[in-house]
Amino acid sequence: MASLQPVRGTHDLLPEQNRLQDYIANTAREIGELYGYHRMTTPIFEFTEVFARTLGDTSDVVTKEMYTFEDRGGEQITLRPEGTAGIARAYISNGMQQMSPVKVSYYGPMFRYERPQKGRQRQFHQIGAELLGIEQVAGDIEMIGYGAHILKALGLWDSITLELNTLGDPESRAAYRDVLVDYFKGHFDKLSEDSRSRLEKNPLRILDSKDEGDRELVANAPLFAEYLNEHSKEFFKGLTEGLGDIGINYELNPRLVRGLDYYCHTCFEFTTNTLGAQGTVMAGGRYDGLISTMGGPQTAGVGWAAGVERLALMVGKAPAGPRPVALIPMGDAAEAKCRTLAQSLREAGIAVHQGYSGNMTKRLKRADKANAILAIVVGDTEVEQGLYQLKLLDLSESFVVEEQRLMRILKKFRDLSSLTVGQKKSLRDSQSQSQWDNALHLIDYVVSSYPESNNSDWQSGLLQKLIATN
């Protein structure tokens, strides 16, 4: 029997990969909350109509890529290929117009049947955000700033370019559409088969064609900017000035489009040259006609989405998590004591590595492999006397401390080390202001002692100071 493998275009997220994707998603969620966006989750599958109506019947997603099936009740069901349509459907289904403005973010798997390649899978993951109910350009500025903030927090900003265009209001779009249809009709015999089918229903999609023949025609096509009315020009001017206010540079890309008629005004992409052909990292824009297209009330909207797999390729590796404390029992009584201690430490928010067998040498090797920062050695004598031998594994130093003091040291280390790396957790132990000030001075002292060192070095130094002084 052949060995079982995942379906083509899908892959297993092993712990380290999963941790990296969680890091990206959690970073996006935390930053979103600074802007007032909160995580929302819609079903992984919807009625097919949700996507067919919103993505357009001539789009590649609808015609070639959707995973659609008939369920046992005879309903046509589709695995979601993107996140915005589900959010829009939920807005209508749950009467969310009463909550306007609606500010939500999302994260989860999406599904498209396409050729698998680096950074692109048939089951992939997206983060995204939607702002519904705001017509003013301030919403567009905020949305782009929010996306840029995430890319900065992930350390990617230096390799990112913001490409920007305007699609104008419906009046401008209609005028441009007529001109574009006339232009491409004059070159109909040179268009690809896909572009010929889009010419009447979705001519703007031709501007985004990857066919080489189409691209030659597009290079000489009329520009959208020549057909913008005054309102559209003022909206775009407000957008570019607002981006200047928040320190975000952009490059104008007049060929950047969205094909469907409910898109308007702002169209943007954050791109990179570090991923080869898969250069778009995050893309979004304004879609004031989407909700009404789906049968809901006229509602302004703007949003973006980003592929987590592509972001993961750029980030490379998630920051190291908390280093565990290793418990090393010597003897049956010590085994029981370490089980109790391990539970207490974990419930206090302290990571614990606990081996299951072996002598001290083997357990210490496993502790080192687990990247433990501290080994706590417990034998019969330590159990009787209530003492623990502590081995700082990075610094090769040993100490002996009593149990109550050990818990106090490790709780303070948990709080101070997490605060220093920016988590800003509140101290769980009651302390006076002077004690808290002293703790902050201690952090400054230790970090300044390791100016060129990595995170592990200063944390070992902090733990050493806590053991020696508390």
Side-chain angles (χ1 to χ4, degrees):
M1 178 179 177
S3 60
L4 293 175
Q5 298 292 326
V7 175
R8 185 168 185 261
T10 68
H11 61 284
D12 301 307
L13 286 175
L14 301 180
E16 190 61 30
Q17 297 165 304
N18 209 89
R19 190 166 172 277
L20 174 56
Q21 291 208 5
D22 282 346
Y23 164 66
I24 292 167
N26 290 337
T27 298
R29 177 184 55 77
E30 291 167 6
I31 290 173
E33 290 177 353
L34 299 177
Y35 291 75
Y37 292 77
H38 299 284
R39 180 71 57 82
M40 177 177 173
T41 302
T42 60
I44 286 177
F45 54 83
E46 302 264 5
F47 291 118
T48 299
E49 184 183 16
V50 169
F51 304 111
R53 291 178 66 176
T54 59
L55 296 175
D57 56 9
T58 64
S59 71
D60 286 346
V61 176
V62 171
T63 59
K64 302 175 183 178
E65 298 173 3
M66 292 202 315
Y67 280 93
T68 298
F69 59 93
E70 185 176 298
D71 69 7
R72 292 183 179 182
E75 302 283 4
Q76 287 293 309
I77 302 296
T78 295
L79 299 178
R80 63 185 182 195
E82 53 89 40
T84 302
I87 299 291
R89 192 271 311 148
Y91 178 88
I92 299 170
S93 302
N94 294 283
M96 294 173 71
Q97 58 266 34
Q98 306 301 322
M99 303 159 56
S100 184
V102 173
K103 305 174 76 169
V104 297
S105 64
Y106 62 86
Y107 164 61
M110 310 292 167
F111 305 85
R112 294 187 187 183
Y113 188 88
E114 55 186 350
R115 185 170 64 86
Q117 53 190 289
K118 186 177 182 180
R120 175 176 288 180
Q121 298 290 319
R122 290 176 177 174
Q123 177 179 321
F124 57 100
H125 298 77
Q126 283 187 345
I127 52 172
E130 316 292 348
L131 170 60
L132 301 173
I134 298 298
E135 297 178 355
Q136 292 82 0
V137 71
D140 307 59
I141 298 165
E142 177 182 273
M143 188 61 72
I144 292 175
Y146 171 14
H149 194 160
I150 293 170
L151 297 172
K152 291 175 182 178
L154 294 174
L156 306 178
W157 189 243
D158 289 345
S159 61
I160 295 292
T161 298
L162 170 61
E163 298 185 15
L164 193 65
N165 195 23
T166 174
L167 304 178
D169 62 9
E171 179 184 88
S172 299
R173 189 182 181 94
Y176 181 59
R177 185 186 189 281
D178 291 342
V179 171
L180 203 61
V181 169
D182 287 343
Y183 170 77
F184 283 123
K185 279 185 176 179
H187 302 278
F188 187 81
D189 58 333
K190 297 179 181 178
L191 288 172
S192 67
E193 184 176 345
D194 282 345
S195 291
R196 289 177 186 177
S197 66
R198 291 169 178 158
L199 184 56
E200 293 297 337
K201 290 186 177 181
N202 212 344
L204 267 70
R205 285 293 316 280
I206 300 174
L207 299 179
D208 197 35
S209 173
K210 301 300 186 289
D211 180 86
E212 288 300 323
D214 290 344
R215 292 169 75 90
E216 290 181 12
L217 295 176
V218 167
N220 297 311
L223 294 175
F224 210 143
E226 298 170 2
Y227 300 89
L228 295 175
N229 58 23
E230 286 305 312
H231 170 67
S232 299
K233 292 177 182 177
E234 284 300 312
F235 193 97
F236 191 59
K237 180 182 178 183
L239 173 64
T240 56
E241 290 178 350
L243 293 177
D245 292 339
I246 61 175
I248 296 180
N249 297 322
Y250 67 91
E251 292 183 4
L252 184 63
N253 180 353
R255 301 304 186 191
L256 189 62
V257 296
R258 300 288 183 264
L260 298 171
D261 288 340
Y262 56 73
Y263 286 105
C264 61
H265 293 300
T266 306
C267 179
F268 66 91
E269 291 186 4
F270 289 100
T271 62
T272 183
N273 58 10
T274 64
L275 294 178
Q278 305 301 316
T280 300
V281 174
M282 179 184 290
R286 177 164 283 275
Y287 48 83
D288 289 354
L290 174 61
I291 302 293
S292 58
T293 296
M294 298 179 71
Q298 176 59 40
T299 305
V302 60
W304 55 257
V308 176
E309 280 78 3
R310 293 187 191 179
L311 290 172
L313 286 173
M314 296 181 71
V315 174
K317 188 176 183 180
R323 297 179 66 187
V325 169
L327 301 184
I328 301 181
M330 294 291 107
D332 293 341
E335 288 276 3
K337 183 63 180 177
C338 282
R339 280 193 290 270
T340 302
L341 178 60
Q343 192 67 22
S344 298
L345 290 172
R346 287 165 174 158
E347 289 180 359
I350 298 163
V352 174
H353 167 75
Q354 191 173 13
Y356 301 102
S357 63
N359 57 31
M360 182 182 292
T361 300
K362 288 182 178 179
R363 289 179 185 255
L364 281 171
K365 285 183 178 179
R366 293 189 193 121
D368 187 59
K369 187 175 181 180
N371 197 32
I373 192 169
L374 178 73
I376 303 174
V377 181
V378 183
D380 292 339
T381 302
E382 286 76 16
V383 172
E384 292 173 5
Q385 297 178 1
L387 299 173
Y388 295 98
Q389 294 183 51
L390 308 185
K391 293 182 180 292
L392 275 167
L393 298 178
D394 292 348
L395 304 178
S396 299
E397 290 191 52
S398 298
F399 302 86
V400 177
V401 301
E402 61 184 15
E403 181 172 350
Q404 187 174 7
R405 183 166 172 263
L406 172 67
M407 292 298 293
R408 186 168 66 247
I409 289 168
L410 292 179
K411 285 181 180 180
K412 184 168 287 189
F413 175 72
R414 169 205 65 196
D415 293 328
L416 298 184
S417 61
S418 64
L419 279 166
T420 303
V421 297
Q423 296 177 356
K424 298 181 180 178
K425 286 172 62 178
S426 298
L427 286 175
R428 297 176 188 171
D429 298 332
S430 176
Q431 295 191 85
S432 68
Q433 185 61 45
S434 62
Q435 288 174 312
W436 176 230
D437 289 341
N438 288 338
L440 293 178
H441 286 308
L442 177 59
I443 291 176
D444 291 338
Y445 168 77
V446 172
V447 174
S448 66
S449 299
Y450 297 90
E452 304 298 330
S453 301
N454 61 34
N455 193 51
S456 298
D457 290 334
W458 76 257
Q459 286 194 345
S460 293
L462 173 60
L463 187 53
Q464 178 193 45
K465 287 290 181 183
L466 290 172
I467 293 171
T469 60
N470 281 267

